[in-house]
Each structure stands twice: as C-alpha cells, then as structure tokens.
C-alpha cells in the first residue's frame, strides 16, 4: 500500500514538473523576463490601475521585442486575463 502511494506521488510530481515546463513553453519567456514583466505591470498598475485588459503586459512585450500573441496565449492559459490577474496568478515563485 505504501509503495502504491509512493508510485502515485512520483507520477504526480512528474505531472507537475511537466505542467510547469509546458507553462514556460507557452509563455515563451524565461524567468528573468517574467520578473521584468511582472515588475513593469506592477509599476504601471500602481500608477493607473487595471482597465481589465492586458495593455501593460503588452506594452512590456512591445518594449522587449517579445512576440505578443504567444505571450498573451501563455498568460491567458495561466489565469492572467488582465494585468491585475497577471500579477495575481502568474507567479514566478510557483515555477521551477
Ligand atoms: Zn484586472
């Protein structure tokens, strides 16, 4: 029984690790870039608030020559439907 539990744990860990990889692949940016994105969005939101779009995320992508369509899809998949949700849900500390 304990080995069965162990087997499940291993499967679950492998699944989680793979999901994290998928999320990174989807975002198309690395950790340093994500930190830059979140810092930028946080700064802009402090100034202007969220208008329920991803305009601040987009302005960061444009400034950093990051492909927006790819990043937008990754943010949406990660629960970031607008700039404040990006800050709330796209958390680098939950990543590898
Ligand atoms: Zn918002």
């Amino acid at each position: 029984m304990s080995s069965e539990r162990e087997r499940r744990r291993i499967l679950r860990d492998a699944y989680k690790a793979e999901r994290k990889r998928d999320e990174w692949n989807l975002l198309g940016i690395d950790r340093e870039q994500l930190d830059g994105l979140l810092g930028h969005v946080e700064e802009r939101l402090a100034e202007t608030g969220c208008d329920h779009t991803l305009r601040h995320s987009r302005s960061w992508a444009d400034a950093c020559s990051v492909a927006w369509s790819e990043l937008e899809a990754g943010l949406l998949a990660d629960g970031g439907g607008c700039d404040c949700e990006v800050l709330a849900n796209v958390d680098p500390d939950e990543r590898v």
Side-chain angles (χ1 to χ4, degrees), residues 3-92:
S3 73
E4 173 70 8
R5 194 179 296 165
E6 176 74 0
R7 197 177 66 86
R8 278 204 211 114
R9 193 185 60 77
I10 288 167
L11 283 175
R12 197 176 55 231
D13 287 353
Y15 172 77
K16 279 187 190 165
E18 192 166 326
R19 272 217 45 176
K20 282 186 181 178
R21 263 200 308 278
D22 286 350
E23 283 175 10
W24 276 115
N25 288 339
L26 223 54
L27 281 175
I29 58 177
D30 61 25
R31 188 188 185 99
E32 206 171 302
Q33 288 176 305
L34 181 59
D35 285 343
L37 166 65
L38 294 177
H40 170 87
V41 170
E42 194 169 19
E43 242 171 59
R44 293 283 97 77
L45 283 186
E47 287 167 11
T48 63
C50 185
D51 70 349
H52 311 298
T53 70
L54 287 162
R55 65 184 171 134
H56 298 314
S57 301
R58 172 157 202 166
S59 73
W60 175 86
D62 288 347
C64 297
S65 302
V66 169
W68 171 241
S69 58
E70 194 184 342
L71 179 63
E72 181 184 30
L75 292 174
L76 290 173
D78 225 10
C82 65
D83 288 319
C84 67
E85 288 179 1
V86 167
L87 279 187
N89 297 332
V90 185
D91 183 352

